[in-house]
Amino acid sequence: MHIPMSTKTDELERRLLYIAGGFLCLWAAAFSLSPVVRARSSAAGLRLDHWLVVGVWGMMIGLVHRRASRWMPDRDPLLLPTASLLTGWGTLTVWRLFPELGLRQTAWLVAAAFALWLGMRLPADLSFLRKYKYVWLSAGLLLTGATLIFGTNPLGEGPRMWLGCCGLYLQPSEPLKLLLIIYLAAYLAGFQMAGKNQPAERGPLPGRALLPLLAPTLLMTGLALVLLVAQRDLGTATIFLYLYAVVVYLATGKRRILIFTAIAVLLAGVLGYLLFDLVRLRVEAWFNPWADPSGRSYQIVQSLIAIANGGILGRGPGLGNPNLVPVPHSDFIFSAISEESGLIGAIALLALVGIVALRGLRAAILAPDYFRRYLAAGLSIHLLGQALLIAAGNLRLLPLTGVTFPLVSYGGSSLVTSYITLLILMKISEHNEETPPAHLVSLKPYMMIASGLSAGLLAASLAGGWWAVARSTDLLARTDNARRAIADRFVKRGAILDRNGHPITESSGTPGSLVRTINYPALSVVIGYNHPVYGQTGLESGLDEYLRGQKGIPLYTILWEQLLYGQPPPGLDIRTSLDLKLQEAADQAMQHQKGALVLLDTSNGQILVMASHPGFDGNTLDENWERLVSDTSAPLLNRALLGVYSTQQLLGNLLPQHFLAQPIEIPSQVAMMGVAAPDNLPEQITPMQLAALAAAISHQGKLVPPNLVNAVNTPLAGWVLLPNENTPVQIMEPALATEISARLQNPDGWGWEMTTQSDEATFYLGGTLESWQGAPLALAIVLEKSNPIEANRVAQEVWSEIMSR
């Protein structure tokens, strides 16, 4: 049984539209659930307003499909489903970002679909477009020129490239691109083998000089470029050059057209860089965005972070933070979709535009006349070329241009123009077997253009993979990635505990309003802070992967949480070696002092106390940051690890020169707090190294490298000890250590101690002897003043607390 081609077309298009509608329904359902998923609580409520988009989309596209079945029975069945899917996806994304703009875009969707519906009864040969080519383009130029006098900007600031008021605006440069393609196609089609006694439209352009032939097109295109440059709409001007070159190349087959245009674009770029601040800033931001990530490169850096945050699978609809990127509904809608749909979604988005373009090129090759051939080809390369241009800008393949993503980005002018483009492509794609295609001398120009556009799609996909996978870790760890702070409000961060399980810092509250609190503020300089503006320091930085739930948890759990919630699982608690009671006694003794104190257990290297004064309260950074960074006493500095002091006086009173068998090094457990030990001992020393020296004297010259972190509380095995570099290192001869401890034994006989001073600092070293009944300890104190009495007082208060336990 023979089935008519029109029936097959209708059935295939209908099925594809069902698939597109099903995808949009699933996407909208995910948006509806996103508040519940993000808060991990049904109390957050569902989001339902965006279902208006799905309803309007289904109604309008259904009407268009029925109309097309009647008036365009032999159309390409892939064009409408693919383009409408792009539109629905884009409109849902705009609504997700800004509901008010989403409502406007939905209204524009109705207008665009209605224009498509009406246009289906237009003559199939589109002769009215060809006949009045100068009228159409002149009207477009006049409208564009009118913006120089009557132009406005819906945002109230920026380039005035729109006409209109009261919420209705037209950007003439959008339809002007379409009108330019119509003009070029009509003009070039008129010169096909127009011999003396031969009708037009039988072959390629004649082999005579091209310049006189193309002079009118150069004039009209030049006028358009002058208007666009005057508007400072340089992105659209670039597209005009690209469109002109490709359409003329397809008509002539002369590759030098492409070469000359490429040179012209390069020269225009150089001139733009020299003449326009906007161009210079965008080129510099493209060339090195890391030089000024919070200034001129803010947009591109945040775009790359958004793409990295999406990874391969994406955060999920409504679960990302694409609104952190400026203008995510327009210039950066590609990165917005990439964050929530991942690399897979980004490639799918590009592939859908590629399908529209390649089907358009197919329609061009099969077109029955040269006008429709050049028109379909020009419109196809325009859609895909502009999409690649905006995607490349978001991916840092090219400088930002500020153009929209066809069919996807917010903008009524762009959407209506794109649907008129779709209408024309559907008209041209109507293939009647009784009407053969126009003569095609060579398929090579079309294959070259298709190959070039395909290479662009591949390059954009590879660049997306580079940022989403290869560079994602580095980008997401940046301090200007606000997504980390947002995630901390929804996912509980692990607590940092002392050796007895008392929380030093922890997160509390409900998902969406979790707050990080340092319960013992005096340890802020040691524990550090995790702040959305000021970044991370201390253990909050060094142990971030554990605290954030990205390490110490089975990979399948992490992947499941990312897939289900778009977030990592709750973080793991960390136990340190600090003793809060001893720490409190040490901080009390160090009040009003400037210096550091470190208490070690010499048997295992555990740091029981680490005090640095003056300090700060990590809970009040917002209120006190400016004062803290300008304070000459450096309260943000962890003196125990970063304070460097001359040891000349100390060594002269305590030890012979060159007493060390090897340098004292700070191991990774302490170095993870973001510090590095100086390597010029014995001329300079930090309080931590000083404590290590005291520990070696109390331990027969052996040093167990200091460590601060003991264990992590994993979901499967409970508390798991973290590996520590606890292999003893012989840093001085045992006899020398015994000699020193005996010579400095205190009157009570339980330990040894000594105090020495210089003009700038006072040092105290002390430790227990072998006869000591408790855990062997070593204490080091540095005061940044010459006052041995104060140093001894601080030491005695700490020893008294130890002995009272």
Side-chain angles (χ1 to χ4, degrees), residues 755 762-764 781 783 787-796:
T755 306
T762 302
F763 300 93
Y764 171 92
I781 301 170
L783 300 183
N787 195 329
I789 296 175
E790 276 296 291
N792 283 317
R793 178 193 63 79
V794 171
Q796 295 313 311

Side-chain angles (χ1 to χ4, degrees), residues 37 40 309 314-316 319-320 560-568:
V37 173
R40 307 193 186 198
N309 195 46
R315 294 293 164 179
L319 299 178
W560 174 251
E561 295 273 337
Q562 290 281 12
L563 181 63
L564 190 61
Y565 301 112
Q567 300 166 339

Side-chain angles (χ1 to χ4, degrees), residues 449-739:
I449 294 301
S451 299
L453 294 174
S454 299
L457 289 172
L458 178 61
S461 300
L462 292 175
W466 170 254
W467 299 115
V469 180
R471 290 295 306 278
S472 62
T473 301
D474 294 338
L475 285 169
L476 296 178
R478 291 178 59 88
T479 56
D480 53 359
N481 177 20
R483 292 162 184 80
R484 295 165 61 89
I486 294 172
D488 286 340
R489 297 206 305 263
F490 286 89
V491 182
K492 191 170 185 179
R493 188 173 173 84
I496 300 177
L497 314 175
D498 83 335
R499 66 188 302 109
N500 298 311
H502 300 133
I504 301 172
T505 183
E506 60 183 337
S507 297
S508 58
T510 58
S513 58
L514 291 172
V515 177
R516 191 73 167 170
T517 304
I518 302 177
N519 297 328
Y520 186 72
L523 271 172
S524 296
V525 72
V526 176
I527 300 301
Y529 51 78
N530 181 62
H531 195 276
V533 176
Y534 309 123
Q536 295 177 318
T537 59
L539 293 181
E540 291 278 20
S541 174
L543 299 171
D544 183 65
E545 288 186 315
Y546 285 113
L547 297 170
R548 195 176 289 277
Q550 296 175 333
K551 188 175 181 181
I553 296 175
L555 180 60
Y556 66 82
T557 301
I558 297 175
L559 293 177
W560 174 251
E561 295 273 337
Q562 290 281 12
L563 181 63
L564 190 61
Y565 301 112
Q567 300 166 339
L572 304 182
D573 294 343
I574 298 293
R575 189 173 67 210
T576 69
S577 59
L578 295 171
D579 187 314
L580 272 182
K581 289 188 176 180
L582 289 177
Q583 181 75 39
E584 187 175 358
D587 286 322
Q588 184 67 29
M590 288 285 291
Q591 266 191 337
H592 311 300
Q593 303 295 332
K594 192 176 180 181
L597 181 152
V598 177
L599 178 66
L600 293 176
D601 184 330
T602 65
S603 65
N604 53 27
Q606 291 186 357
I607 302 171
L608 304 178
V609 174
M610 186 187 296
S612 176
H613 287 256
F616 65 94
D617 185 348
N619 299 315
T620 61
L621 290 181
D622 289 322
E623 299 90 335
N624 299 316
W625 181 257
E626 294 299 328
R627 178 185 62 80
L628 291 172
V629 296
S630 61
D631 193 333
T632 56
S633 65
L636 294 171
L637 177 70
N638 186 350
R639 285 172 163 80
L641 294 175
L642 293 174
V644 179
Y645 304 91
S646 173
T647 60
Q648 182 176 5
Q649 185 69 28
L650 170 68
L651 295 178
N653 292 343
L654 179 66
L655 300 167
Q657 291 287 340
H658 310 299
F659 68 94
L660 296 177
Q662 63 183 66
I664 302 174
E665 297 182 354
I666 299 298
S668 61
Q669 280 290 333
V670 177
M672 74 166 56
M673 293 165 40
V675 302
D679 57 4
N680 56 344
L681 286 171
E683 295 176 358
Q684 289 183 314
I685 199 166
T686 67
M688 177 58 69
Q689 292 172 314
L690 195 61
L693 173 59
I697 294 173
S698 291
H699 198 48
Q700 295 184 336
K702 293 180 181 178
L703 170 65
V704 179
N707 59 85
L708 186 60
V709 182
N710 284 344
V712 58
N713 192 10
T714 64
L716 296 182
W719 285 103
V720 175
L721 296 178
L722 291 174
N724 290 322
E725 301 173 15
N726 55 5
T727 303
V729 178
Q730 195 76 41
I731 68 169
M732 70 172 64
E733 297 298 330
L736 179 59
T738 301
E739 174 191 342

Side-chain angles (χ1 to χ4, degrees), residues 410-473:
Y410 171 77
S413 303
S414 175
L415 187 59
V416 172
T417 302
S418 296
Y419 265 61
I420 294 175
T421 298
L422 175 63
L423 168 66
I424 295 173
L425 289 178
M426 291 176 67
K427 280 286 183 183
I428 297 174
S429 72
E430 287 189 277
H431 181 59
N432 189 335
E433 295 181 356
E434 298 179 358
T435 305
H439 176 65
L440 184 64
V441 175
S442 174
L443 189 61
K444 187 176 180 180
Y446 294 86
M447 295 302 296
M448 283 190 63
I449 294 301
S451 299
L453 294 174
S454 299
L457 289 172
L458 178 61
S461 300
L462 292 175
W466 170 254
W467 299 115
V469 180
R471 290 295 306 278
S472 62
T473 301

Side-chain angles (χ1 to χ4, degrees), residues 265-266 269-270 273 277-293 295-304 332 388-402 463 466-467 471:
V265 170
L266 182 61
V270 173
Y273 181 85
D277 292 338
L278 178 62
V279 175
R280 182 164 58 255
L281 291 176
R282 286 185 171 179
V283 170
E284 290 174 354
W286 166 64
F287 186 73
N288 184 15
W290 324 115
D292 187 15
R296 63 176 181 267
S297 304
Y298 182 76
Q299 288 179 301
I300 182 60
V301 169
Q302 292 302 315
S303 172
L304 298 179
F332 288 92
L388 284 174
L389 192 62
I390 194 65
N394 286 194
L395 292 164
R396 201 197 154 205
L397 280 175
L398 293 172
L400 295 172
T401 55
W466 170 254
W467 299 115
R471 290 295 306 278

